[in-house]
Amino acid sequence: MSHDRTEAPSQPVAGRATVLVGMSITEANRRDELLAEAAPLGATTAFLQQGEPSLSAELTRLADAGTETAVLIGVRLGASGPGHSWLRRIAAHWWRERAGHRPALLVATRLAESADAVTAAAASVKPITGEEPGLTSPAWEEVTGHRHQVMVCRGPRCTAKRADDALRSLVRQLAEHGLGDDDVLVVQTGCQFPCNQAPVISVQPDDVWYGHVDPVTITTIVADHLIGGRPVAAHRLPRRRKDPRNHEED
């Protein structure tokens, strides 16, 4: 028997709350869009990562306020981010761990991938039962064996300069070369500096930084640096070093 419910939280209901949940750093950077979409629904906002309040903190606030039902709508506006299953995992983890009053949790059965799609995504919801998978798995026990870690800046300026295009190209290029997390670990970060060179990525442990990165540049970086071992001079940024004399004792 299906547990889906086809009722959209288009208007606030007593004892019922709606939360738009940003799935990735993109939504944290585009918080104003999320808030604008939340307002007509009488909804609040929360984030799975790199944004405040966290989903767990918002659910705790609602529970402490006596909310009877919370409807969660995942929103993913960028090129990548956790899958829908992670929204259910995090919500279920909170529900199992919560002491005291727990509101019923209803989760939209699909993500809204644009601001305009929020209402449509809310049209079908499925309850959290507490039997959802937990936060651990044998596959996530150890640090991967990666040779390189690519840090993609997703600070406000880099995001405004289309860092998501560079990220999308990076993920695609690595997949086309058969490279996974055990080869190159891709991480999205907050501001890395220098913002004037946005979009910025850095490659560790090589201590190589690249600026003005676009999908074409990514193709060269993957082929020449991550595979060939030769940093790409054309987009490499100089690294300012501290003068050790500034740290000498008088």
Side-chain angles (χ1 to χ4, degrees):
M1 177 181 298
S2 172
H3 294 284
D4 291 5
R5 303 182 185 180
T6 55
E7 48 181 302
S10 55
Q11 298 294 331
V13 178
R16 180 185 180 106
T18 301
V19 184
L20 303 191
V21 184
M23 300 292 290
S24 72
I25 192 172
T26 296
E27 293 74 55
N29 282 327
R30 295 168 64 177
R31 181 187 298 266
D32 288 347
E33 292 180 45
L34 210 58
L35 289 171
E37 197 61 33
L41 299 175
T44 59
T45 59
F47 301 88
L48 280 196
Q49 56 182 322
Q50 296 167 312
E52 297 294 338
S54 68
L55 175 57
S56 296
E58 180 61 6
L59 290 175
T60 297
R61 185 188 72 81
L62 292 173
D64 289 346
T67 300
E68 294 298 328
T69 302
V71 180
L72 310 181
I73 306 169
V75 182
R76 186 171 62 198
L77 303 176
S80 66
H84 178 268
S85 64
W86 276 104
L87 177 54
R88 295 190 63 82
R89 280 180 184 265
I90 300 300
H93 174 76
W94 176 87
W95 195 85
R96 287 190 293 262
E97 296 291 314
R98 167 71 179 180
H101 170 67
R102 298 181 298 184
L105 300 183
L106 305 177
V107 181
T109 56
R110 62 186 176 90
L111 298 179
E113 296 191 336
S114 69
D116 295 338
V118 169
T119 300
S124 177
V125 296
K126 186 176 180 180
I128 291 295
T129 65
E131 297 178 356
E132 291 78 8
L135 301 186
T136 61
S137 165
W140 307 327
E141 184 68 23
E142 299 177 346
V143 177
T144 70
H146 58 274
R147 169 63 182 87
H148 290 106
Q149 188 166 10
V150 179
M151 321 284 276
V152 181
C153 180
R154 296 303 310 275
R157 295 170 184 84
C158 286
T159 296
K161 289 288 191 75
R162 305 301 298 271
D164 54 338
D165 286 348
L167 174 64
R168 187 183 295 110
S169 179
L170 175 61
V171 172
R172 184 178 65 251
Q173 291 286 330
L174 293 175
E176 289 177 358
H177 287 284
L179 300 176
D181 290 345
D182 279 332
D183 306 293
V184 179
L185 186 63
V186 178
V187 178
Q188 299 182 65
T189 76
C191 183
Q192 294 188 44
F193 300 101
C195 302
N196 291 350
Q197 311 297 333
V200 171
I201 70 171
S202 58
V203 180
Q204 304 299 342
D206 297 354
D207 196 21
V208 172
W209 297 61
Y210 293 110
H212 302 294
V213 173
D214 59 19
V216 174
T217 308
I218 287 291
T219 300
T220 305
I221 291 172
V222 170
D224 291 2
H225 187 172
L226 301 181
I227 295 176
R230 302 179 304 277
V232 180
H235 287 268
R236 186 172 182 176
L237 302 176
R239 183 88 140 81
R240 185 175 64 195
R241 305 289 181 179
K242 287 186 177 180
D243 187 339
R245 291 174 297 182
N246 294 338
H247 299 278
E248 292 179 356
E249 296 182 359
D250 295 336

